Amino acid sequence: MNETWIIFGATSSMARAFARAVSERGDAVWLAGRDLADIGALATDCSLRGAAHAEVLEFDARKPETFGPIAAKAEAAEGTVNAAVFVGSMPPQADIDADPSLLDGVVTDSHAGPARMLHMLAPIIEARGAGCVVGVGSVAGDRGRIGNYVYGSAKAGFHTYLSGLRNRLTRSGGHVVTVKPGFVDTAMTWGIPGMFLVAAPEAVASDILKAVARKRDTIYTPFFWRFIMLIIRSIPERIFKKMSI
Amino acid sequence: MRTKPVEYTGWGRTLSATSDTARPERQSSLAAAMDSMPAPPLGSLRSYGDACLNDAKPAISTVRLDRVTAFDADTGLLTAEPGVRIGDLVRRLAPLGWLPPVMPGTGFATVGGSVAMDVHGKNHHHAGSFGQHVTALALVTPKGRKTAKTGSELFKATVGGLGQTGAIASAEMQLLRCKGDVMMVTERRIGDWDEHLGLLDASEATYTVGWIDATATGRNLGRGVLEEGETGAGLVPPAKRGRRVPFDAPSFALSSPIVRLFNAAYWRRIPQRGRTVVKPIDDFFFPLDKIHDWNRLYGKAGFHQFQCVVPLDQAPALRQMLETIAKSGLASPLAVLKRMGPGRAGYMSFPMEGYTLAVDFPNRGRARHIVEGLTEAARDAGGRIYFAKDSVATPELIAGMYPEQAKWVKAVAKLDPERALQTDLVRRLDLRGVA
């Protein structure tokens, strides 16, 4: 099988773990992101781990002009093209409260940019009748909380987009996996107080690969976040609005 | 750069520390961390004592800088970030016919740590130390980015330099050819000390090490098992990895009678005539990595490891030391004797031509006292102790062990005049004191 994974946001540690895992299976990886020097280092690492091919592509969620070349390249590629989106940004809520203009960037990074990119790839998956999209959202998108609701709302929008995209691609043989990670041990969460049950990026990557193989629709990773979020979602709004969790 | 307060210990778990720790994932953030908060770089924390501790002061963890950034399959030249683990290199490279040139006893050690300790392995008598195969280093120092070529002052201050010249951003090294990821291992029973040294001296194998029964006394003193290994190609089941020690063992687990019994059984397991077995490569090089957290077997109090090297003609002094150890009744099953070649690459590198002995002691009773005595004996024999292992020495006990220390102090002071990179070990032994 000729599988290619386009990995957006390849500098994140979850993306790094995922890229390594698919490389070890012998898939081709296209690593897309902003810090090209950093991604170049990952590309060599992936090649040595067995990737059929590792390539560096420029992708910036805030620069739509970077999307076209990626879509064109995917169009020209042979075999199945898959996409995994690890893009997002989470400035502290207090910073956004002080400067509301930051909100645009969060929504662009975590929702609008990646959704637009995926929208350009969707016809390719439809035409080939195969391909998987992995969209990494967040448990923060399941409910708006005082400490993090701008990021949460962007991720919620992304979840809804993924659900619609799944509805669309299923018809032609494609698939979409929505991934909702809890706390993962990445640079984004390092040193932030209040983290608990923090998962290793490698564990998340392996959960994602299992979900792809089994064509799961939405997964929580680690799995127990499904129950935590079930509880949080079932708190009546009347009570929830007074809580700060 | 965001930091996190992390509580951690050395591998021996006798000493611990809490540090505000930065953990960069990219080269650019490593430089930013060193810039905003100069601090010693830490790897997998596999040093036994406090070489990897900086209590109540900041630290920079390099474990997430873990990529191989260049590799030439024809020449075997490899560039790696500091957090790459030696064991991962073995698993990925051996099937391609290449091996890290030098491998310490644990595959969890990182490339950065292997440079900072100028580690040695079972092939030291042929291949020398790790640093001798490093062809270039990129460093992030409190004075900015630097590169160090083999043989330069900066290079010699960095290799074996205990992290005192800054963080290693990447290391380029020349790998060694191997035939495959399988080891042909010949094991021989050794009856006593003289036979042990004789066999170590005569061994022509690429990889040689002697396990020593440090509880045997009298005419059995120095008995053990000689292991000689060569790489080969073939098919063996992969090494089973990843069993954990779920809790701290009670202190009687490694009490003297149990260790004595275990060691005797371990020795007798080898047939009288010896044997040759085929093993997965990581089983030979990293036998203890099969059990994660094996340090917990020593219980809550932890353990000390003593390792020294003495010149060849001081073998009788080493025998005397072994006698002290055997009589103490405190030795554990983990004891190793090896003949070292002269190879070393830095001012503060441990190796010297001679015999090296490494022994674990559970941290109880007179263990500290015995290690102090052994350290003194090593010094008096013209030998030295290995800083990666030490947790008990004092400035007086190690005086004169490292003849090039003054050169190192001078080189290090240039890059880190504020002494922001000092670790607990460097302070305890006042290594940078005589600037």
Side-chain angles (χ1 to χ4, degrees):
Chain A
M1 277 295 283
N2 213 343
E3 297 267 350
T4 299
W5 280 94
I6 314 178
I7 297 170
F8 297 97
T11 46
S12 89
S13 38
M14 261 190 273
R16 185 187 293 183
F18 182 80
R20 286 173 161 177
V22 293
S23 296
E24 277 160 18
R25 302 197 309 196
D27 296 358
V29 287
W30 298 358
L31 306 166
R34 283 183 301 171
D35 187 341
L36 299 183
D38 184 73
I39 299 173
L42 180 60
T44 317
D45 193 80
C46 286
S47 305
L48 187 55
R49 282 171 194 264
H53 176 69
E55 206 161 319
V56 178
L57 303 175
E58 191 189 355
F59 171 79
D60 185 338
R62 301 189 192 187
K63 288 188 191 149
E65 63 272 22
T66 60
F67 301 178
I70 297 176
K73 201 170 154 55
E75 180 78 62
E78 282 178 26
T80 309
V81 176
N82 308 282
V85 178
F86 294 88
V87 187
S89 64
M90 188 177 76
Q93 182 73 37
D95 293 6
I96 304 171
D97 295 347
D99 179 6
S101 72
L102 289 177
L103 200 148
D104 300 22
V106 177
V107 173
T108 308
D109 293 340
S110 308
H111 175 196
R116 182 163 161 186
M117 181 71 242
L118 290 176
H119 229 68
M120 295 165 79
L121 296 175
I124 301 170
I125 292 175
E126 283 179 318
R128 301 190 185 185
C132 185
V133 171
V134 170
V136 176
S138 169
V139 292
D142 275 12
R143 194 150 194 187
R145 294 176 300 111
I146 186 163
N148 205 10
Y149 62 94
V150 168
Y151 174 73
S153 67
K155 286 295 191 185
F158 192 49
H159 293 163
T160 308
Y161 173 80
L162 290 170
S163 138
L165 186 66
R166 173 158 49 240
N167 206 194
R168 170 181 166 185
L169 292 183
T170 301
R171 285 148 216 266
S172 55
H175 184 61
V176 177
V177 182
T178 305
V179 180
K180 296 183 181 177
F183 296 144
V184 186
D185 190 11
T186 64
M188 204 196 239
T189 59
W190 179 257
I192 290 189
M195 294 285 148
F196 56 91
L197 297 170
V198 178
E202 291 75 23
V204 170
S206 122
D207 279 356
I208 295 176
L209 273 184
K210 273 184 220 150
V212 169
R214 292 178 198 161
K215 293 214 166 182
R216 297 276 303 276
D217 297 324
T218 300
I219 63 158
Y220 287 83
T221 168
F223 70 96
F224 51 78
W225 279 93
R226 179 176 293 279
F227 307 106
I228 297 176
M229 295 320 292
L230 183 69
I231 294 165
I232 290 179
R233 271 183 289 124
S234 55
I235 301 171
E237 190 68 13
R238 188 204 277 267
I239 298 168
F240 192 79
K241 70 182 178 188
K242 293 180 190 151
M243 295 170 69
S244 35
I245 50 173
Chain B
M1 175 106 270
R2 209 159 45 214
T3 61
K4 177 176 166 176
V6 179
E7 218 189 312
Y8 57 107
T9 71
W11 186 244
R13 303 208 306 161
T14 53
L15 300 169
S16 64
T18 304
S19 295
D20 278 327
T21 308
R23 192 188 61 184
E25 296 187 341
R26 308 185 203 184
Q27 290 289 332
S28 54
S29 38
L30 172 66
M34 188 59 87
D35 198 41
S36 63
M37 181 193 78
L42 307 181
S44 310
L45 308 177
R46 285 283 166 152
S47 289
Y48 288 68
D50 51 1
C52 56
L53 304 184
N54 195 27
D55 192 28
K57 296 189 174 60
I60 299 174
S61 167
T62 60
V63 293
R64 286 284 170 106
L65 295 162
D66 62 352
R67 293 165 299 190
V68 172
T69 55
F71 174 61
D72 185 329
D74 297 321
T75 62
L77 205 60
L78 176 133
T79 310
E81 290 184 315
V84 173
R85 291 165 165 182
I86 300 294
D88 286 340
L89 288 180
V90 173
R91 281 182 281 282
R92 286 154 65 185
L93 295 165
L96 306 175
W98 292 103
L99 271 185
V102 166
M103 289 170 275
T106 169
F108 290 109
T110 60
V111 166
S114 299
V115 173
M117 290 298 170
D118 196 12
V119 298
H120 56 273
K122 295 174 182 176
N123 59 350
H124 187 267
H125 52 299
H126 293 302
S129 68
F130 191 88
Q132 292 182 285
H133 304 269
V134 173
T135 45
L137 289 168
L139 298 171
V140 172
T141 77
K143 298 267 180 212
R145 289 180 181 278
K146 307 270 178 209
T147 52
K149 287 269 174 225
T150 314
S152 67
E153 185 192 61
L154 179 56
F155 187 90
K156 286 193 249 178
T158 301
V159 175
L162 306 164
Q164 299 303 297
T165 56
I168 288 153
S170 75
E172 184 192 69
M173 69 195 84
Q174 177 61 53
L175 304 175
L176 287 185
R177 273 277 180 211
C178 69
K179 291 192 191 113
D181 55 0
V182 164
M183 291 300 292
M184 303 280 292
V185 185
T186 301
E187 299 169 318
R188 275 192 197 98
R189 253 200 223 183
I190 307 170
D192 63 23
W193 175 260
D194 290 335
E195 189 187 353
H196 212 137
L197 289 195
L199 282 168
L200 284 172
D201 290 345
S203 174
E204 284 177 1
T206 311
Y207 297 97
T208 310
V209 69
W211 172 79
I212 197 162
D213 178 356
T215 61
T217 48
R219 65 189 166 80
N220 288 332
L221 184 82
R223 77 170 174 185
V225 176
L226 184 80
E227 288 188 27
E228 296 175 296
E230 301 292 342
T231 62
L235 294 169
V236 286
K240 289 198 190 95
R241 296 276 127 188
R243 264 175 274 182
R244 291 195 164 270
V245 178
F247 52 83
D248 295 340
S251 56
F252 62 79
L254 287 169
S255 61
S256 170
I258 291 185
V259 173
R260 216 173 271 280
L261 279 172
F262 177 89
N263 280 5
Y266 189 84
W267 184 73
R268 271 178 233 290
R269 159 192 81 103
I270 308 296
Q272 191 93 58
R273 278 176 305 174
R275 66 178 182 188
T276 298
V277 291
V278 179
K279 289 185 180 181
I281 199 157
D282 33 3
D283 257 16
F284 177 72
F285 288 109
F286 318 125
L288 286 166
D289 288 0
K290 274 190 286 198
I291 309 162
H292 281 299
D293 314 323
W294 62 260
N295 52 354
R296 301 184 77 177
L297 291 172
Y298 287 97
K300 240 193 237 143
F303 67 105
H304 298 286
Q305 184 170 93
F306 170 77
Q307 182 171 2
C308 72
V309 57
V310 299
L312 290 176
D313 59 8
Q314 291 293 323
L318 199 62
R319 186 181 196 278
Q320 191 61 46
M321 289 159 79
L322 182 62
E323 216 155 318
T324 311
I325 295 165
K327 278 191 194 141
S328 76
L330 276 170
S332 82
L334 297 171
V336 164
L337 185 64
K338 168 153 184 64
R339 181 169 170 159
M340 283 189 139
R344 61 206 300 271
Y347 296 137
M348 296 296 277
S349 293
F350 167 69
M352 68 161 71
E353 180 149 40
Y355 300 103
T356 178
L357 174 69
V359 189
D360 284 6
F361 298 95
N363 181 25
R364 63 168 186 256
R366 299 187 309 119
R368 275 187 72 92
H369 181 74
I370 288 167
V371 175
E372 280 167 12
L374 294 170
T375 305
E376 204 172 356
R379 183 195 65 194
D380 295 345
R384 59 174 75 111
I385 60 159
Y386 193 8
F387 292 138
K389 311 289 178 80
D390 181 57
S391 54
V392 308
T394 60
E396 299 72 48
L397 284 174
I398 61 137
M401 281 185 176
Y402 285 84
E404 292 179 298
Q405 188 177 353
K407 287 186 198 163
W408 175 74
V409 169
K410 212 173 121 220
V412 165
K414 270 188 230 163
L415 287 166
D416 179 32
E418 315 287 330
R419 301 194 175 206
L421 303 180
Q422 291 194 117
T423 57
D424 288 358
L425 175 121
V426 172
R427 275 186 293 271
R428 172 168 59 85
L429 299 178
D430 196 19
L431 291 179
R432 290 174 58 178
V434 287

